[in-house]
Amino acid sequence: MNKPTALQAVLRNWLPRRLRHQMLLITLALTVVAILVLNAVSRPRFEHSVVSQSQQWADAVARSAAAMAAPALQVKDARQAEASLLALASLPGVLRLALFDAEGQPVLALQTQPDGRVTVASDAALPLQTARQRQSVLVGAQETVHSWSPA
């Protein structure tokens, strides 16, 4: 006579005995597996789509900032540049707008504070590298998208 093992005893006690309950358990298991596979396939595509849309939006803001700041850059007037870029810097999602001259030297940086105010960043807070040299960096705990556009 075969003595049941511990695993067989556990399975016998926990698995449903009726066919409809067994079918329900199999259907539930297949549904869970299908959801996990769908999540594994969809998540990278969704994340890529979000990053792509963020980059397109950042590029549009950079092109607008370049067009708005071009007259001020031509006459080298930082106050006029600040006035023209203030509206763009206050858009939701914009953390910083930095303006560089033709030689790549920083001219102005507008930074959004946590309370929503836009302030002029100090010279020490100006980025050492232009946004052209990097695409994505961490600011605090947030991953940010950088973009640039020539004026």
Side-chain angles (χ1 to χ4, degrees):
M1 200 156 108
N2 289 339
K3 191 172 186 181
T5 64
L7 178 62
Q8 289 174 338
V10 168
L11 290 177
R12 187 176 302 136
N13 291 333
W14 288 96
L15 286 178
R17 292 193 176 109
R18 292 188 175 181
L19 180 61
R20 67 177 163 188
H21 293 148
Q22 290 174 356
M23 295 299 289
L24 182 63
L25 183 64
I26 290 170
T27 304
L28 177 67
L30 289 174
T31 303
V32 168
V33 168
I35 288 172
L36 291 174
V37 168
L38 183 63
N39 185 29
V41 170
S42 298
R43 179 171 287 207
R45 295 176 77 190
F46 176 73
E47 289 174 356
H48 175 61
S49 173
V50 167
V51 169
S52 176
Q53 288 177 357
S54 297
Q55 187 64 51
Q56 289 175 0
W57 186 79
D59 290 342
V61 170
R63 284 190 302 274
S64 297
M68 293 171 74
L73 274 177
Q74 288 175 348
V75 295
K76 298 183 185 201
D77 185 0
R79 289 202 185 274
Q80 181 184 356
E82 178 184 346
S84 63
L85 294 178
L86 199 56
L88 279 177
S90 63
L91 288 174
V94 175
L95 298 178
R96 169 181 290 198
L97 277 177
L99 184 64
F100 297 89
D101 63 13
E103 289 81 37
Q105 297 300 315
V107 174
L108 170 73
L110 298 176
Q111 189 168 355
T112 304
Q113 300 300 318
D115 62 0
R117 291 179 301 118
V118 177
T119 59
V120 177
S122 67
D123 290 342
L126 286 170
L128 298 176
Q129 296 176 319
T130 63
R132 176 184 333 180
Q133 295 168 333
R134 37 187 189 162
Q135 289 296 315
S136 176
V137 295
L138 286 177
V139 174
Q142 290 181 316
E143 185 175 349
T144 62
V145 177
H146 285 225
S147 185
W148 73 277
S149 180

